[in-house]
Amino acid sequence: MISHLGILFMRMLAPLPLAWVRALGHALGLVLHVLVRSRRRVVDVNLRLCFPQWSEAQRARVRREVFVNVAQSWLDRSWLWHGRPEVVRRRLLLTGALRELAGQEPTIIFAPHFVGLDAGVTALTQQQPRPMTGIYTPQSNKVVDAWVMEGRNRFGGKPLSRADGVRGLVSALRQGDLLYLLPDMNFGPEESIFVPFYGVPAATVPSLSRFARLGRAKVVPVVTRMTPSGYEVRVLEAWAGFPSRDVEADTALMNERLQGYIDAMPGQYYWVHKRFKTRPPGEPGVY
């Protein structure tokens, strides 16, 4: 019942002016910042580990920004998934090295977990013609799962479950689909390796390097920034010399370049995630 009401609420938000949706998201973010103490601690720990040079006041300011941006981006799914297509297109600016997505050359999109991630998916599927495949993790609630699937794929897309395995993803890549990868979160110790993230050992899946080698594909980063008018979805130049023959070095390089993207807008990264939950053997937990 709650999930049905929540979806109805999002549909009702969709036609409202963006400024109204953002104002509601701002208020919601501030409330969550106060009430959800456990997640506030996660953000605190992440920022302390990654930005030890910051003052307490700077960390507190960015922490509040994170909660506000997460809440605003969540409510933005109302118009991303239910708004009129012309409104969605007007609010999403797809820019940068768009030529990197053209043609049929095997291409992997490296999509870091910024709060505008769903806006990036929508812009890529709505505004460029090449089909796109991504890895989808089913939601536990079937109603929510169907809603998320429909929303993320309203303009196209071919979601594959992790259960489909490597073969299906590589096959789609070699057939000309863009492969949308989000390997910058902690997915547990299985298949992860420890490489530095802001100087801290972080369990990181080396899938970007491995899929690039298996599919003989180039890697194109896409970074999405929330703006007052919607989102800017910037396609960056393909990484030269990637992948190499060293999976660990490739994965460390991925994290290093991700740091540069984060440094440009630290308040828009998804710091509410327990990025350092998995620790190297013998090291204590940080959360």
Side-chain angles (χ1 to χ4, degrees):
M1 181 64 178
I2 295 177
S3 57
H4 284 288
L5 289 176
I7 294 170
L8 177 61
F9 173 71
M10 294 292 271
R11 289 182 181 275
M12 292 172 62
L13 282 183
L16 296 180
L18 179 59
W20 294 15
V21 178
R22 291 283 173 83
L24 181 59
H26 188 277
L28 176 62
L30 292 179
V31 170
L32 294 175
H33 176 260
V34 172
L35 296 182
V36 190
R37 298 179 60 184
S38 60
R39 198 54 56 173
R40 192 172 71 226
R41 171 172 167 73
V42 170
V43 178
D44 266 331
V45 170
N46 286 337
L47 295 180
R48 287 178 186 278
L49 289 173
C50 294
F51 303 100
Q53 74 278 15
W54 284 4
S55 67
E56 290 291 336
Q58 189 173 7
R59 276 194 288 268
R61 175 180 59 79
V62 173
R63 185 186 66 211
R64 285 192 297 272
E65 288 178 7
V66 168
F67 273 83
V68 168
N69 290 335
V70 168
Q72 288 181 323
S73 66
W74 175 253
L75 295 186
D76 279 348
R77 288 174 174 87
S78 62
W79 56 266
L80 283 169
W81 294 354
H82 304 294
R84 298 197 311 274
E86 63 271 20
V87 172
V88 174
R89 181 179 288 271
R90 187 170 67 246
R91 292 176 181 175
L92 301 180
L93 176 63
L94 182 61
T95 186
L98 301 183
R99 66 184 183 281
E100 296 284 11
L101 306 182
Q104 292 295 307
E105 181 180 359
T107 302
I108 297 175
I109 292 175
F110 169 47
H113 277 82
F114 289 99
V115 296
L117 194 62
D118 277 299
V121 171
T122 300
L124 288 169
T125 52
Q126 184 192 40
Q127 299 182 27
Q128 64 85 38
R130 196 166 171 183
M132 192 166 71
T133 295
I135 301 175
Y136 178 70
T137 302
Q139 307 293 310
S140 57
N141 184 302
K142 291 185 178 180
V143 174
V144 173
D145 185 69
W147 176 64
V148 172
M149 282 282 285
E150 181 181 358
R152 285 182 175 163
N153 299 289
R154 69 175 297 198
F155 297 113
K158 303 175 184 177
L160 293 176
S161 165
R162 294 184 185 279
D164 293 317
V166 172
R167 182 175 298 180
L169 293 169
V170 173
S171 175
L173 185 60
R174 291 180 175 174
Q175 289 171 13
D177 286 14
L178 298 171
L179 178 58
Y180 196 81
L181 283 187
L182 308 86
D184 60 318
M185 300 191 87
N186 187 332
F187 292 105
E190 299 82 10
E191 301 182 13
S192 293
I193 58 177
F194 284 97
V195 292
F197 180 54
Y198 282 100
V200 182
T204 309
V205 289
S207 56
L208 191 65
S209 174
R210 288 177 175 166
F211 278 123
R213 284 189 297 113
L214 287 170
R216 297 184 289 278
K218 65 180 179 180
V219 170
V220 177
V222 174
V223 177
T224 303
R225 179 193 295 268
M226 181 188 293
T227 67
S229 59
Y231 293 88
E232 178 190 9
V233 183
R234 179 166 291 274
V235 180
L236 305 181
E237 300 286 343
W239 289 348
F242 191 99
S244 70
R245 295 184 178 182
D246 188 333
V247 173
E248 184 172 343
D250 286 346
T251 308
L253 179 62
M254 179 193 80
N255 278 356
E256 180 183 338
R257 291 183 174 171
L258 171 59
Q259 290 171 207
Y261 308 151
I262 294 172
D263 288 344
M265 46 177 181
Q268 294 202 27
Y269 193 61
Y270 201 68
W271 294 113
V272 293
H273 168 66
K274 293 183 178 180
R275 184 63 186 90
F276 304 104
K277 181 178 181 179
T278 303
R279 306 307 307 134
E283 287 197 14
V286 296
Y287 299 111

